[in-house]
Amino acid sequence: MKRTFLGLFFILSIIVLGAGYLCAAAPQLVEKTVSFGTAYTDWDVFAPSLVVGNDSRGMAFVARKDKKYAVVTNGKISPSYDSIAKDTPLFSPDGKRAAYIAKRGDNWHVFLDGREGEGFEAAGKPVFSPDSKRLAYVAKKGKKQLVVADEKKEPAFDGIAIKLNSPLFSPDSAHLAYAAINGKKMVMVRDGQKGKDYDLISAPLFSKDSSRLGYAAKEGDHFMFIDNGKAGPAYEQISVSSYSPDSKKLAYSARKGDKWFMVTDGKEGPRYDSVAIAIFSPDSTRVAHMAIRDGKQFMVIDGKEGPGFKALGFLEFSPDSKHVAYSALEDGKGVMVVDGKAGVRYDTILFPFYSPDSRHLAYGAQKGGKWLIVKDGSEGPLYDKISLPQFSPDSNHFCYMAQKDGKWRMVADGKEQKAYDGVSIPAYSPDSKHLAYAALEKGNWLVVVDGVEGKSRFGAIVKGAKLVFDDAAHLHTLVLDFTGKAFAVYELEIKS
């Protein structure tokens, strides 16, 4: 039986973010829809397999017909196979390339841009490099496992530690590292070259500039942190680690006896019952981490302990690194701590968000069963539900979605806009002059820009697709027609 209910899988079922505002002059919206065609509509579509590229122009999914499987990418059907592997297809970071794993006979093959790779007994989920130019995956051949990178086979091992984020490309895409099992030992492999054997190793970690590769290693009864092949001091245990954004600093948590501490550039910090991962400021000059002592949780910022709380939440440095905010819980109440000062207590506190220029701070809070947004210390109206807040690129505009009386409306620059049955994730234009979102009204999806509704109607906005501005006056997304069968790229031009 054909699946004629695809729309149920792709309609945005939960409203999590939304926004909208009106410009001084209402824009004219010029709309166009480019269909992917209907060549695949006589296939049964496996809806959970649908993936959307980061650019929201490409989409792919697995389809079945006559006990055979195929991958449909942007409306084009691949050859048929005996099976398609779980977690594929997938897109490259730039959304321009697609890969999947398919089985033919006894072998599994990785396909990149439609090109078939060598067959293996098994193949792991492919990994694209950040620049989208490279691809790597783990393959099984006999009793051995190996990494295939850029279609070339690397040395075989007894196992590749996939669960340890392996293989991993460096941020600049030039290097590839992975943890491998070599008999009863483990070894870190970088660009095909094996490091020293250890009893255990952690996942690989590259610095932001890709010049450093780090990991924790166990040798005998002690642990060390290995930074570019150089072993640090021995500890009884090493846990989470991080490099600073400028790649010059390294911090990791370590244990001696029953106490934990942060080691930053080789210097040991104060002892605690437990510590969490170090978070560096964007300019790398500041560092913060959570610590626990005697049942109390502290945020340690620049080496100084903040007040103790029952629990700590999310921490955020401002983009200019001058400010820091984190949520905390005490006596059943949530509070936002900004630059060391605790604010008003609420029933619940959500994530802190700084504006791009670092001048504004906003977060969601619950009070008396209702929700509100707090911006720069001032409370907004109470609603049944709210979304996370969002600032425009120039920091001059601010919006969030709010539900009241079963309807969702945009609250933009402090003003409520038209109420709808649902709203999708919003998008500001690069110049911050326009705000767009998709809205659901009486079963129809439409696009709204600066409060002006487009004339086109759709059965759904494809799940996972975003409204993407190509420039200040053009945007696009992926849509589904009312039959639940035909997908298309929706394009919109804004004429002021």
Side-chain angles (χ1 to χ4, degrees), residues 330-382:
E330 187 67 25
D331 297 328
K333 296 290 185 179
V335 63
M336 189 66 68
V337 182
V338 183
D339 294 333
K341 299 179 180 179
V344 177
R345 293 192 174 194
Y346 296 97
D347 298 332
T348 304
I349 291 283
L350 300 180
F351 317 93
F353 286 88
Y354 279 101
S355 59
D357 66 3
S358 303
R359 295 175 56 211
H360 307 288
L361 174 69
Y363 57 90
Q366 187 180 41
K367 182 169 68 173
K370 298 289 185 177
W371 290 89
L372 66 147
I373 291 290
V374 181
K375 179 175 178 283
D376 299 334
S378 297
E379 296 183 354
L382 294 171

Short mmCIF file of all heavy atoms in Angstrom, two decimals, residues 330-382:
data_model
loop_
_atom_site.label_atom_id
_atom_site.label_comp_id
_atom_site.label_asym_id
_atom_site.label_seq_id
_atom_site.Cartn_x
_atom_site.Cartn_y
_atom_site.Cartn_z
N GLU A 330 17.82 27.54 43.85
CA GLU A 330 17.99 27.54 45.31
C GLU A 330 16.61 27.67 45.95
O GLU A 330 15.79 28.50 45.55
CB GLU A 330 18.89 28.69 45.75
CG GLU A 330 19.25 28.67 47.23
CD GLU A 330 20.12 27.50 47.64
OE1 GLU A 330 20.84 26.95 46.77
OE2 GLU A 330 20.08 27.12 48.82
N ASP A 331 16.36 26.80 46.95
CA ASP A 331 15.07 26.82 47.66
C ASP A 331 13.89 26.70 46.72
O ASP A 331 12.85 27.34 46.89
CB ASP A 331 14.94 28.10 48.50
CG ASP A 331 15.99 28.21 49.59
OD1 ASP A 331 16.42 27.16 50.11
OD2 ASP A 331 16.41 29.34 49.90
N GLY A 332 14.06 25.88 45.68
CA GLY A 332 12.98 25.64 44.74
C GLY A 332 12.73 26.76 43.77
O GLY A 332 11.75 26.72 43.01
N LYS A 333 13.56 27.79 43.75
CA LYS A 333 13.39 28.93 42.87
C LYS A 333 14.60 29.08 41.95
O LYS A 333 15.74 28.79 42.34
CB LYS A 333 13.20 30.22 43.68
CG LYS A 333 11.94 30.25 44.53
CD LYS A 333 10.69 30.34 43.68
CE LYS A 333 9.44 30.50 44.54
NZ LYS A 333 8.20 30.62 43.71
N GLY A 334 14.33 29.56 40.73
CA GLY A 334 15.40 29.80 39.78
C GLY A 334 15.82 31.26 39.77
O GLY A 334 15.00 32.16 40.02
N VAL A 335 17.08 31.51 39.50
CA VAL A 335 17.59 32.87 39.49
C VAL A 335 18.67 32.98 38.42
O VAL A 335 19.40 32.02 38.16
CB VAL A 335 18.15 33.27 40.88
CG1 VAL A 335 19.34 32.38 41.26
CG2 VAL A 335 18.56 34.73 40.91
N MET A 336 18.76 34.14 37.78
CA MET A 336 19.82 34.39 36.81
C MET A 336 20.91 35.21 37.49
O MET A 336 20.62 36.26 38.09
CB MET A 336 19.29 35.15 35.59
CG MET A 336 20.30 35.26 34.45
SD MET A 336 20.73 33.66 33.70
CE MET A 336 19.17 33.21 32.90
N VAL A 337 22.12 34.71 37.44
CA VAL A 337 23.26 35.40 38.04
C VAL A 337 24.05 36.08 36.92
O VAL A 337 24.56 35.41 36.01
CB VAL A 337 24.17 34.43 38.82
CG1 VAL A 337 25.32 35.18 39.47
CG2 VAL A 337 23.36 33.66 39.86
N VAL A 338 24.12 37.40 36.96
CA VAL A 338 24.77 38.18 35.90
C VAL A 338 25.95 38.94 36.49
O VAL A 338 25.79 39.75 37.41
CB VAL A 338 23.79 39.17 35.25
CG1 VAL A 338 24.48 39.92 34.11
CG2 VAL A 338 22.55 38.44 34.75
N ASP A 339 27.14 38.64 36.01
CA ASP A 339 28.36 39.28 36.51
C ASP A 339 28.44 39.19 38.03
O ASP A 339 28.78 40.16 38.72
CB ASP A 339 28.43 40.73 36.05
CG ASP A 339 28.57 40.85 34.53
OD1 ASP A 339 29.12 39.91 33.92
OD2 ASP A 339 28.13 41.87 33.97
N GLY A 340 28.08 38.01 38.55
CA GLY A 340 28.19 37.74 39.98
C GLY A 340 27.01 38.19 40.82
O GLY A 340 26.96 37.88 42.02
N LYS A 341 26.04 38.90 40.24
CA LYS A 341 24.89 39.39 41.00
C LYS A 341 23.64 38.61 40.65
O LYS A 341 23.26 38.51 39.48
CB LYS A 341 24.68 40.89 40.71
CG LYS A 341 25.86 41.77 41.12
CD LYS A 341 25.59 43.23 40.78
CE LYS A 341 26.77 44.11 41.18
NZ LYS A 341 26.51 45.55 40.84
N ALA A 342 22.99 38.07 41.69
CA ALA A 342 21.77 37.30 41.49
C ALA A 342 20.58 38.22 41.28
O ALA A 342 20.42 39.22 41.98
CB ALA A 342 21.52 36.38 42.69
N GLY A 343 19.73 37.88 40.32
CA GLY A 343 18.57 38.70 40.03
C GLY A 343 17.33 38.23 40.75
O GLY A 343 17.40 37.58 41.81
N VAL A 344 16.18 38.55 40.19
CA VAL A 344 14.88 38.19 40.77
C VAL A 344 14.69 36.69 40.71
O VAL A 344 15.08 36.03 39.74
CB VAL A 344 13.74 38.91 40.02
CG1 VAL A 344 12.38 38.50 40.56
CG2 VAL A 344 13.93 40.43 40.12
N ARG A 345 14.07 36.13 41.73
CA ARG A 345 13.80 34.69 41.75
C ARG A 345 12.49 34.37 41.05
O ARG A 345 11.50 35.06 41.21
CB ARG A 345 13.76 34.17 43.19
CG ARG A 345 15.12 34.23 43.90
CD ARG A 345 15.10 33.46 45.19
NE ARG A 345 16.43 33.39 45.79
CZ ARG A 345 16.76 32.56 46.77
NH1 ARG A 345 15.84 31.75 47.29
NH2 ARG A 345 17.98 32.56 47.25
N TYR A 346 12.51 33.28 40.29
CA TYR A 346 11.33 32.81 39.58
C TYR A 346 11.14 31.32 39.85
O TYR A 346 12.04 30.65 40.39
CB TYR A 346 11.47 33.05 38.08
CG TYR A 346 11.55 34.51 37.70
CD1 TYR A 346 12.78 35.14 37.47
CD2 TYR A 346 10.38 35.26 37.54
CE1 TYR A 346 12.84 36.47 37.12
CE2 TYR A 346 10.45 36.61 37.20
CZ TYR A 346 11.67 37.20 36.98
OH TYR A 346 11.73 38.53 36.63
N ASP A 347 9.99 30.80 39.43
CA ASP A 347 9.74 29.36 39.62
C ASP A 347 10.70 28.53 38.77
O ASP A 347 11.16 27.48 39.18
CB ASP A 347 8.29 29.02 39.24
CG ASP A 347 7.28 29.74 40.13
OD1 ASP A 347 7.64 30.04 41.30
OD2 ASP A 347 6.17 29.99 39.67
N THR A 348 10.98 29.03 37.57
CA THR A 348 11.90 28.36 36.65
C THR A 348 12.64 29.41 35.83
O THR A 348 12.08 30.45 35.52
CB THR A 348 11.14 27.42 35.68
OG1 THR A 348 10.37 26.49 36.43
CG2 THR A 348 12.12 26.65 34.79
N ILE A 349 13.91 29.12 35.52
CA ILE A 349 14.72 30.00 34.69
C ILE A 349 15.22 29.21 33.49
O ILE A 349 15.68 28.07 33.63
CB ILE A 349 15.93 30.55 35.48
CG1 ILE A 349 15.48 31.51 36.57
CG2 ILE A 349 16.92 31.23 34.54
CD1 ILE A 349 15.11 32.89 36.07
N LEU A 350 15.16 29.80 32.28
CA LEU A 350 15.66 29.16 31.08
C LEU A 350 17.03 29.72 30.70
O LEU A 350 17.67 30.40 31.49
CB LEU A 350 14.65 29.36 29.94
CG LEU A 350 13.25 28.79 30.19
CD1 LEU A 350 12.35 29.04 28.98
CD2 LEU A 350 13.31 27.30 30.51
N PHE A 351 17.48 29.42 29.49
CA PHE A 351 18.82 29.79 29.04
C PHE A 351 19.01 31.31 28.94
O PHE A 351 18.11 32.02 28.52
CB PHE A 351 19.10 29.22 27.64
CG PHE A 351 18.66 27.81 27.44
CD1 PHE A 351 17.41 27.52 26.91
CD2 PHE A 351 19.48 26.75 27.79
CE1 PHE A 351 16.99 26.22 26.72
CE2 PHE A 351 19.07 25.44 27.59
CZ PHE A 351 17.82 25.18 27.06
N PRO A 352 20.22 31.80 29.24
CA PRO A 352 20.52 33.22 29.00
C PRO A 352 20.96 33.44 27.55
O PRO A 352 21.65 32.61 26.97
CB PRO A 352 21.68 33.49 29.96
CG PRO A 352 22.37 32.17 30.10
CD PRO A 352 21.30 31.12 29.97
N PHE A 353 20.53 34.55 26.95
CA PHE A 353 20.91 34.91 25.59
C PHE A 353 21.40 36.35 25.56
O PHE A 353 20.68 37.26 25.96
CB PHE A 353 19.71 34.78 24.63
CG PHE A 353 19.34 33.37 24.29
CD1 PHE A 353 18.46 32.67 25.09
CD2 PHE A 353 19.88 32.75 23.18
CE1 PHE A 353 18.12 31.37 24.78
CE2 PHE A 353 19.53 31.45 22.86
CZ PHE A 353 18.65 30.76 23.67
N TYR A 354 22.64 36.55 25.09
CA TYR A 354 23.16 37.90 24.88
C TYR A 354 22.93 38.32 23.44
O TYR A 354 22.95 37.50 22.52
CB TYR A 354 24.66 37.95 25.17
CG TYR A 354 25.01 38.07 26.64
CD1 TYR A 354 25.42 36.95 27.37
CD2 TYR A 354 24.94 39.29 27.28
CE1 TYR A 354 25.74 37.06 28.71
CE2 TYR A 354 25.25 39.41 28.62
CZ TYR A 354 25.65 38.28 29.34
OH TYR A 354 25.96 38.40 30.67
N SER A 355 22.73 39.61 23.24
CA SER A 355 22.63 40.15 21.89
C SER A 355 24.02 40.15 21.25
O SER A 355 25.04 40.12 21.95
CB SER A 355 22.07 41.57 21.92
OG SER A 355 22.90 42.42 22.70
N PRO A 356 24.09 40.16 19.92
CA PRO A 356 25.40 40.14 19.25
C PRO A 356 26.34 41.26 19.69
O PRO A 356 27.57 41.07 19.70
CB PRO A 356 25.03 40.28 17.77
CG PRO A 356 23.68 39.66 17.68
CD PRO A 356 22.99 40.06 18.95
N ASP A 357 25.79 42.44 20.06
CA ASP A 357 26.66 43.54 20.48
C ASP A 357 26.94 43.52 21.98
O ASP A 357 27.58 44.44 22.52
CB ASP A 357 26.06 44.90 20.09
CG ASP A 357 24.75 45.22 20.82
OD1 ASP A 357 24.32 44.41 21.67
OD2 ASP A 357 24.16 46.27 20.53
N SER A 358 26.46 42.48 22.68
CA SER A 358 26.70 42.26 24.11
C SER A 358 25.99 43.25 25.04
O SER A 358 26.17 43.20 26.25
CB SER A 358 28.21 42.30 24.43
OG SER A 358 28.91 41.34 23.67
N ARG A 359 25.16 44.11 24.49
CA ARG A 359 24.51 45.14 25.31
C ARG A 359 23.23 44.65 25.98
O ARG A 359 22.76 45.28 26.93
CB ARG A 359 24.22 46.38 24.45
CG ARG A 359 25.45 47.10 23.93
CD ARG A 359 25.05 48.24 23.00
NE ARG A 359 24.14 49.16 23.67
CZ ARG A 359 23.20 49.85 23.05
NH1 ARG A 359 23.03 49.70 21.74
NH2 ARG A 359 22.42 50.68 23.71
N HIS A 360 22.65 43.58 25.48
CA HIS A 360 21.37 43.12 26.00
C HIS A 360 21.44 41.65 26.43
O HIS A 360 22.15 40.85 25.83
CB HIS A 360 20.27 43.28 24.95
CG HIS A 360 20.18 44.66 24.38
ND1 HIS A 360 19.69 45.72 25.11
CD2 HIS A 360 20.52 45.15 23.16
CE1 HIS A 360 19.72 46.81 24.36
NE2 HIS A 360 20.24 46.50 23.18
N LEU A 361 20.65 41.33 27.45
CA LEU A 361 20.54 39.96 27.94
C LEU A 361 19.07 39.61 28.10
O LEU A 361 18.30 40.39 28.67
CB LEU A 361 21.26 39.80 29.29
CG LEU A 361 21.09 38.44 29.98
CD1 LEU A 361 21.82 37.35 29.19
CD2 LEU A 361 21.61 38.49 31.42
N ALA A 362 18.69 38.46 27.61
CA ALA A 362 17.29 38.03 27.71
C ALA A 362 17.24 36.57 28.12
O ALA A 362 18.13 35.77 27.80
CB ALA A 362 16.57 38.23 26.38
N TYR A 363 16.15 36.22 28.82
CA TYR A 363 15.93 34.82 29.19
C TYR A 363 14.46 34.62 29.52
O TYR A 363 13.72 35.56 29.83
CB TYR A 363 16.81 34.41 30.37
CG TYR A 363 16.64 35.23 31.63
CD1 TYR A 363 15.71 34.89 32.61
CD2 TYR A 363 17.44 36.35 31.84
CE1 TYR A 363 15.56 35.63 33.76
CE2 TYR A 363 17.30 37.11 33.00
CZ TYR A 363 16.37 36.74 33.96
OH TYR A 363 16.23 37.49 35.10
N GLY A 364 14.03 33.38 29.44
CA GLY A 364 12.66 33.03 29.79
C GLY A 364 12.56 32.64 31.25
O GLY A 364 13.51 32.12 31.85
N ALA A 365 11.39 32.89 31.86
CA ALA A 365 11.18 32.57 33.27
C ALA A 365 9.71 32.21 33.49
O ALA A 365 8.82 32.65 32.75
CB ALA A 365 11.58 33.74 34.16
N GLN A 366 9.47 31.41 34.51
CA GLN A 366 8.11 31.02 34.87
C GLN A 366 7.74 31.62 36.22
O GLN A 366 8.55 31.59 37.16
CB GLN A 366 7.98 29.50 34.92
CG GLN A 366 6.55 29.01 35.13
CD GLN A 366 6.45 27.50 35.18
OE1 GLN A 366 7.30 26.85 35.78
NE2 GLN A 366 5.43 26.94 34.56
N LYS A 367 6.53 32.16 36.28
CA LYS A 367 6.04 32.76 37.51
C LYS A 367 4.56 32.46 37.67
O LYS A 367 3.75 32.82 36.82
CB LYS A 367 6.28 34.28 37.49
CG LYS A 367 5.84 35.00 38.76
CD LYS A 367 6.33 36.44 38.81
CE LYS A 367 5.70 37.32 37.78
NZ LYS A 367 6.06 38.76 37.95
N GLY A 368 4.22 31.76 38.75
CA GLY A 368 2.82 31.47 39.02
C GLY A 368 2.14 30.67 37.94
O GLY A 368 0.96 30.89 37.64
N GLY A 369 2.86 29.74 37.33
CA GLY A 369 2.28 28.91 36.29
C GLY A 369 2.27 29.54 34.91
O GLY A 369 1.88 28.91 33.94
N LYS A 370 2.69 30.79 34.80
CA LYS A 370 2.76 31.49 33.52
C LYS A 370 4.23 31.75 33.16
O LYS A 370 5.11 31.70 34.00
CB LYS A 370 2.00 32.82 33.59
CG LYS A 370 0.51 32.67 33.86
CD LYS A 370 -0.23 32.09 32.65
CE LYS A 370 -1.73 32.07 32.88
NZ LYS A 370 -2.47 31.56 31.69
N TRP A 371 4.42 32.08 31.88
CA TRP A 371 5.78 32.31 31.38
C TRP A 371 5.94 33.74 30.88
O TRP A 371 4.98 34.35 30.40
CB TRP A 371 6.10 31.34 30.23
CG TRP A 371 6.26 29.93 30.69
CD1 TRP A 371 5.27 28.98 30.80
CD2 TRP A 371 7.47 29.30 31.12
NE1 TRP A 371 5.79 27.81 31.27
CE2 TRP A 371 7.13 27.96 31.47
CE3 TRP A 371 8.79 29.72 31.24
CZ2 TRP A 371 8.09 27.06 31.92
CZ3 TRP A 371 9.73 28.82 31.69
CH2 TRP A 371 9.39 27.50 32.03
N LEU A 372 7.17 34.24 30.99
CA LEU A 372 7.48 35.59 30.54
C LEU A 372 8.93 35.66 30.07
O LEU A 372 9.73 34.79 30.39
CB LEU A 372 7.26 36.62 31.65
CG LEU A 372 8.21 36.53 32.87
CD1 LEU A 372 8.48 37.91 33.42
CD2 LEU A 372 7.60 35.63 33.94
N ILE A 373 9.23 36.70 29.32
CA ILE A 373 10.61 36.97 28.90
C ILE A 373 11.13 38.14 29.72
O ILE A 373 10.46 39.17 29.86
CB ILE A 373 10.70 37.29 27.41
CG1 ILE A 373 10.39 36.04 26.57
CG2 ILE A 373 12.07 37.85 27.05
CD1 ILE A 373 11.45 34.96 26.62
N VAL A 374 12.33 37.97 30.27
CA VAL A 374 13.01 39.06 30.98
C VAL A 374 14.11 39.58 30.09
O VAL A 374 15.01 38.85 29.69
CB VAL A 374 13.59 38.57 32.32
CG1 VAL A 374 14.27 39.73 33.05
CG2 VAL A 374 12.51 37.93 33.19
N LYS A 375 14.05 40.85 29.73
CA LYS A 375 15.06 41.47 28.87
C LYS A 375 15.65 42.67 29.58
O LYS A 375 14.94 43.58 29.99
CB LYS A 375 14.44 41.91 27.55
CG LYS A 375 15.41 42.59 26.58
CD LYS A 375 14.71 42.87 25.25
CE LYS A 375 15.63 43.60 24.28
NZ LYS A 375 15.76 45.03 24.60
N ASP A 376 16.96 42.62 29.79
CA ASP A 376 17.68 43.70 30.49
C ASP A 376 17.03 44.01 31.83
O ASP A 376 16.93 45.17 32.25
CB ASP A 376 17.72 44.95 29.62
CG ASP A 376 18.46 44.72 28.31
OD1 ASP A 376 19.32 43.82 28.27
OD2 ASP A 376 18.17 45.42 27.31
N GLY A 377 16.58 42.96 32.51
CA GLY A 377 16.00 43.10 33.85
C GLY A 377 14.53 43.46 33.89
O GLY A 377 13.92 43.45 34.96
N SER A 378 13.92 43.78 32.74
CA SER A 378 12.51 44.16 32.70
C SER A 378 11.65 42.98 32.28
O SER A 378 11.98 42.28 31.30
CB SER A 378 12.29 45.32 31.72
OG SER A 378 13.00 46.46 32.16
N GLU A 379 10.55 42.75 32.98
CA GLU A 379 9.66 41.64 32.70
C GLU A 379 8.69 41.97 31.57
O GLU A 379 8.12 43.07 31.52
CB GLU A 379 8.87 41.25 33.94
CG GLU A 379 9.71 40.72 35.08
CD GLU A 379 8.85 40.28 36.26
OE1 GLU A 379 7.62 40.50 36.21
OE2 GLU A 379 9.41 39.72 37.22
N GLY A 380 8.46 41.01 30.68
CA GLY A 380 7.44 41.12 29.66
C GLY A 380 6.12 40.57 30.17
O GLY A 380 6.02 40.12 31.32
N PRO A 381 5.07 40.57 29.34
CA PRO A 381 3.76 40.06 29.75
C PRO A 381 3.80 38.56 30.05
O PRO A 381 4.70 37.84 29.59
CB PRO A 381 2.87 40.36 28.54
CG PRO A 381 3.62 41.37 27.74
CD PRO A 381 5.06 41.11 27.97
N LEU A 382 2.80 38.09 30.78
CA LEU A 382 2.67 36.67 31.10
C LEU A 382 1.90 35.94 30.01
O LEU A 382 0.91 36.45 29.48
CB LEU A 382 1.95 36.49 32.44
CG LEU A 382 2.68 37.02 33.68
CD1 LEU A 382 1.76 36.98 34.89
CD2 LEU A 382 3.95 36.21 33.95
#
